[in-house]
Amino acid sequence: MTTARLVMTAAMVAMVAGSASGCSSGGEATASCAGVVRYENRDYLPAQDKDFTVGERLGTARIPECDDTPDDPEVAIPEGTTDAYAVAGRDPAEAIAVGDSPAGARLMEIG
């Protein structure tokens, strides 16, 4: 599986888990690790913004292993890596873009 597909799969699982996640008895939604990308000890989540400019390559981001659905091993996300890029006008401490290339990069923001 390519890094871009891995990131997109993680993002889709995160969206599905976010909309269909179970609630605790107190009514609070459960947290999901799907879609998380880690860069310089910070966790980023997929952003909805499609209007951004990818800058220079910063380094390598890590996609942590995630199994939010232990009863369904088909949706487990294996650990992986992807390229991390700066986002024009944004501090990398708040947003980066990730993907196999600048053209295919997706915006990620601190969660």
Side-chain angles (χ1 to χ4, degrees):
M1 183 178 292
T2 67
T3 303
R5 282 189 181 171
L6 188 61
V7 170
M8 292 307 293
T9 299
M12 290 186 328
V13 170
M15 285 187 264
V16 170
S19 64
S21 64
C23 292
S24 68
S25 59
E28 298 175 23
T30 57
S32 172
C33 60
V36 173
V37 174
R38 189 164 290 141
Y39 177 71
E40 290 192 342
N41 297 319
R42 292 184 292 266
D43 290 341
Y44 296 84
L45 295 170
Q48 299 299 318
D49 190 357
K50 302 285 185 212
D51 187 26
F52 65 96
T53 302
V54 177
E56 68 182 33
R57 184 177 183 278
L58 299 171
T60 301
R62 190 171 70 80
I63 303 164
E65 179 179 4
C66 178
D67 187 5
D68 283 350
T69 55
D71 295 335
D72 189 357
E74 295 293 318
V75 296
I77 299 168
E79 184 172 344
T81 60
T82 187
D83 290 331
Y85 299 93
V87 175
R90 304 281 301 266
D91 185 324
E94 66 180 45
I96 60 172
V98 297
D100 290 332
S101 68
R106 178 174 170 91
L107 181 65
M108 307 291 282
E109 295 178 330
I110 289 294

